[in-house]
Every structure is written in C-alpha cells, then in structure tokens.
Amino acid sequence: MILVTRPSPAGEQLVDQLTALGMDACHTPLISFARGKDLDSLPHCLDKLGPGDMVVAASQHAVYYAQEALLQQGYAWPEEVAYFAIGKKTACALEEATGFPALYPQGREISEQMLKLPQLQHVAGKNIVILRGNGGRELLAQTLTARGAKVRFCECYQRVPVNYDGAELCERWRKLSVNTLVITSGEMLQQVYNLAPERYRSWLLNLKLLVVSERLAEQAEDLGWLRCRVADNADNGALLRALQSF
C-alpha cells in the first residue's frame, strides 16, 4: 500500500492515478493551506518594482492566493517587470493570472535549477519579490542577494499542519499494510517522523520512502530512514513514474 501525504487536491489526484494502474494507494494529507500574512501588503510590494525588476512565484498556491488578493483589492499585476516561476505548472498559473509570459527552468523544479537561468545571473541592483508560503526558497533568496539583488519575500499562503493522533494514525497505516511513503517537503517529513510514537518509529523508518529532492533524501537519512529514492520532479507525473519502478 502506497501512502500519499501531499495536500489536497494533488494528493487525491495521485491516489486516483495509482488506483487506475492497479496499485493500492491511500491518502492522508499532512498539511492544509490558509491565507498568508503578507497578502494585504502585496500591492504596495509590487508598486515598488520598476522596469527590469522581477517577480518569482515559488509555487502554484502562491500564485492562486496572490491573484485572489489582487482581484479583491482591484489591483493589476505590473507590466514592466519580468515574471519567473519554479516550474512549468507554476509558470502556466502565473501567466494565466498576470497575462504576461513567465520564464521557468527546464528539468527539476528546485531552486538550484532555477538559479542556472541566464536571466538570473546578472541581477545586481534589481528588486526581486518572491511569492511563497510561510518559509522556503531561502537558498534562492540568499543566492540572488549574493548576486547583488534586493530580495523580498511575500508570504501569500500558510501551510498548516493537520492535527492527528500519532498512535492512532500509525496503527491505521499498519493495518492498511502501508509499505511505501510519499513525502514532498521537509516540513512534512519531519511532521510524520514526530507523529510516530517511539513504539512505531522502527516500523516507520523501514518503510520505502519517495521524496522529491536530494536535500530531502539527506534529511531522511539523518532521521534514520533506510530505503529512500528521489523522484525526477515534484509533480504527480514524476511521482507516478518513480512509484512504478520503486
């Protein structure tokens, strides 16, 4: 049984895809989403951008919440800035929201890949706004700052942990014969580890673990996971391909 922990609706969608292929899968979302604390000040933040400055969307959720907030406030996305996104789907969401093209890196949807874009090599003096959740993309901001940019985060949404009884949850997973765990963020990896009482810890760490980056794999190894594989990307298609060969 494959346990998918990513939030709705992507979690249910992945389970449906796995089930359609004849694989046993279940869904336990570890986080939900809520409005970010910086949304009210987003128009002011965007007003400070001039020609050649940049907006970077770190996720589709950041775009959705930002767009909703701007529509409510009757504010239009600025025209003379360059738009960037961490991956293709986020770029599509950003283009639909803004009406302007959005650049994104080919390959993996990670900060390291994005920082290879030619347009982000010479950013000294530019103002860059990163639309994100509550935390994340620190490497992106640190590197762009080191290259001379003035970087500002805008928290568009919050990832809120779903409260569970850890012992009850682990027992339910064991009864379902869960043998593979899908984790898509370091926050969720730590959360599922903390949820497991000591008597379930050995069982949990012996599950096959699928993650979406080398950094997550290193974190899993530090926590004690014994069998870990890294998917090619963080989207459901990449997770599906990895699970078929795991």
Side-chain angles (χ1 to χ4, degrees):
M1 174 72 73
I2 299 167
L3 172 62
V4 177
T5 63
R6 74 183 321 175
S8 303
E12 289 98 339
Q13 291 165 356
L14 180 56
V15 167
D16 289 343
Q17 290 173 305
L18 291 166
T19 302
L21 292 173
M23 305 170 75
D24 293 327
C26 60
H27 182 225
T28 302
L30 293 177
I31 62 171
S32 59
F33 297 106
R35 199 174 186 275
K37 63 180 178 61
D38 295 334
L39 283 177
D40 288 341
S41 61
L42 178 58
H44 176 70
C45 185
L46 295 177
D47 274 338
K48 291 186 175 182
L49 300 179
D53 288 337
M54 303 176 179
V55 173
V56 178
S59 71
Q60 295 176 69
H61 285 97
V63 176
Y64 298 151
Y65 276 90
Q67 172 71 345
E68 182 181 60
L70 294 180
L71 286 173
Q72 289 174 350
Q73 297 178 62
Y75 186 91
W77 293 91
E79 297 182 5
E80 297 181 330
V81 305
Y83 290 94
F84 294 82
I86 196 67
K88 184 176 181 179
K89 288 187 176 180
T90 302
C92 290
L94 187 58
E95 289 179 349
E96 183 177 349
T98 65
F100 302 112
L103 295 172
Y104 63 94
Q106 300 299 315
R108 305 192 61 195
E109 298 179 5
I110 56 177
S111 296
E112 292 89 339
Q113 195 72 17
M114 187 168 206
L115 287 165
K116 295 177 183 178
L117 286 173
Q119 296 83 355
L120 296 182
Q121 302 310 304
H122 305 289
V123 294
K126 293 186 181 296
N127 294 296
I128 301 177
V129 174
I130 299 179
L131 309 176
R132 67 167 185 174
N134 50 328
R137 304 303 172 188
E138 279 79 9
L139 174 65
L140 183 61
Q142 290 166 5
T143 305
L144 292 173
T145 299
R147 293 176 183 174
K150 299 174 183 177
V151 180
R152 177 174 178 177
F153 284 121
C154 179
E155 182 190 293
C156 297
Y157 68 98
Q158 295 182 28
R159 296 176 294 274
V160 182
V162 180
N163 291 320
Y164 292 107
D165 181 299
E168 181 181 302
L169 193 62
C170 288
E171 187 59 33
R172 176 155 61 89
W173 289 343
R174 286 184 62 175
K175 288 180 178 177
L176 288 171
S177 300
V178 168
N179 58 17
T180 304
L181 182 61
V182 180
I183 298 282
T184 53
S185 77
E187 184 179 8
M188 288 191 286
L189 183 65
Q190 188 66 55
Q191 184 183 352
V192 75
Y193 180 86
N194 292 341
L195 271 171
E198 190 62 38
R199 65 182 183 276
Y200 291 100
R201 191 65 54 76
S202 176
W203 170 80
L204 181 71
L205 295 176
N206 275 281
L207 296 178
K208 290 186 289 184
L209 178 65
L210 179 64
V211 296
V212 296
S213 72
E214 283 77 12
R215 275 180 289 169
L216 262 180
E218 290 172 5
Q219 181 182 345
E221 184 178 355
D222 290 342
L223 289 171
W225 256 278
L226 301 173
R227 293 179 291 171
C228 181
R229 177 174 292 187
V230 180
D232 293 335
N233 223 321
D235 62 277
N236 276 352
L239 294 172
L240 190 63
R241 291 191 298 273
L243 288 166
Q244 286 179 288
S245 63
F246 205 162

